[in-house]
Amino acid sequence: FVYQDQKIDVNGEFINLPEWLAGHPVKLKADADIHFNKLIPVTFTGNTPKQDGKTKKEQAFLMPEDLFLNINLKIDSLKHETLPSSDISVNLIYNPGLLTFNSLNMKSLNGVISGNGFISQSRTKDLMARGNFNISGININTTFKTFRNFGQSFIKAENLKGNLTGSLSLLLPLDSLLKPQMKSLIAEGRYIITDGALIDFEPVKELSAFIELTELENINFEKLENDFFIRNN
């Protein structure tokens, strides 16, 4: 079928689908392949406008208790403000309180991202996201532009050039409103930057008392390799 210019192909087995759609207290079980020629998430989630100047009260997110899914999902093109992507494939397995994604593969930010992980919800409604990812050929400049410099102004997209390859493991708690608890983020990985450059970066220019300023305005390097860790904020 086609929904708002998105062609969606579904092939699989669905148990209790009519009853579930009608709101009856049944469990929906599905084992299916789903393919989008393009996916525009905002057409499904929508943006609820404010009424009378009042902000709609946020409600806690609850993972459904009546779904059991095994979905092989393919998306040719993802139209998303934060992470536009293409050639996406992933296996999604959902049981109450736990969403697992396996064999994720996607093209984004001029490179390739792959990985596995899960999102779980506790009895207190808090969520935990965990993932292991590999990235290859990611354009650093494009990444910083896409994520709006990750909310900081110390080093910006215009200061950076190069391609990023490496691995990333992260553990990220979220509250019941799906807001990430960044102070509790744990992440570690290894990265390699090739054909890189540090461009017009003010903190480096402060070394001009020791080195010619022209040499500090554009620092190029063939390869930079290191490990990184994020803990305790």
Side-chain angles (χ1 to χ4, degrees):
F1 60 95
V2 177
Y3 177 73
Q4 295 199 18
D5 200 33
Q6 300 162 98
K7 183 180 178 183
I8 307 168
D9 296 309
V10 181
N11 180 27
E13 182 178 17
F14 296 80
I15 300 174
N16 293 327
L17 179 59
E19 296 89 343
W20 186 82
L21 291 175
H24 297 309
V26 297
K27 295 178 180 179
L28 171 62
K29 298 180 181 180
D31 190 344
D33 298 325
I34 301 177
H35 172 244
F36 289 77
N37 72 324
K38 63 180 176 181
L39 174 60
I40 310 172
V42 70
T43 62
F44 292 91
T45 59
N47 290 319
T48 305
K50 297 179 181 178
Q51 299 178 350
D52 301 326
K54 296 181 180 179
T55 304
K56 183 179 179 180
K57 184 179 179 180
E58 295 181 289
Q59 294 183 343
F61 172 79
L62 293 176
M63 284 186 161
E65 292 290 330
D66 55 359
L67 292 181
F68 297 83
L69 310 175
N70 185 356
I71 305 294
N72 292 312
L73 177 65
K74 290 188 177 181
I75 304 170
D76 295 339
S77 177
L78 174 64
K79 307 295 183 181
H80 192 271
E81 180 182 2
T82 303
L83 196 64
S85 312
S86 64
D87 298 332
I88 302 169
S89 62
V90 63
N91 170 246
L92 299 172
I93 298 176
Y94 180 81
N95 290 294
L98 178 64
L99 172 65
T100 303
F101 62 91
N102 300 304
S103 304
L104 169 66
N105 198 77
M106 61 194 290
K107 294 180 180 177
S108 187
L109 304 171
N110 304 121
V112 177
I113 302 172
S114 60
N116 302 282
F118 67 82
I119 301 174
S120 63
Q121 187 166 38
S122 67
R123 294 181 179 178
T124 61
K125 301 181 183 178
D126 292 331
L127 295 100
M128 179 67 71
R130 180 162 191 166
N132 296 295
F133 302 94
N134 291 304
I135 57 177
S136 177
I138 297 296
N139 185 288
I140 295 177
N141 180 273
T142 301
T143 301
F144 269 67
K145 287 180 179 177
T146 300
F147 289 96
R148 297 183 177 89
N149 296 311
F150 298 95
Q152 52 84 46
S153 59
F154 179 71
I155 187 166
K156 299 181 179 180
E158 55 264 31
N159 303 127
L160 297 167
K161 176 186 175 183
N163 297 310
L164 179 67
T165 296
S167 60
L168 167 68
S169 297
L170 62 83
L171 187 67
L172 178 62
L174 303 94
D175 66 17
S176 59
L177 299 177
L178 297 181
K179 294 179 180 178
Q181 304 301 295
M182 298 306 295
K183 291 183 178 180
S184 300
L185 169 68
I186 299 175
E188 62 180 271
R190 183 169 185 81
Y191 66 86
I192 300 173
I193 300 173
T194 55
D195 300 323
L198 195 59
I199 304 165
D200 200 28
F201 188 44
E202 289 297 332
V204 172
K205 288 184 178 181
E206 295 175 2
L207 297 173
S208 60
F210 310 98
I211 304 174
E212 287 292 333
L213 181 59
T214 54
E215 296 183 29
L216 299 172
E217 290 178 340
N218 192 346
I219 300 174
N220 294 277
F221 54 90
E222 292 184 5
K223 184 178 180 180
L224 175 66
E225 187 173 359
N226 207 348
D227 297 321
F228 74 89
F229 302 90
I230 301 174
R231 294 191 185 99
N232 301 321
N233 204 30

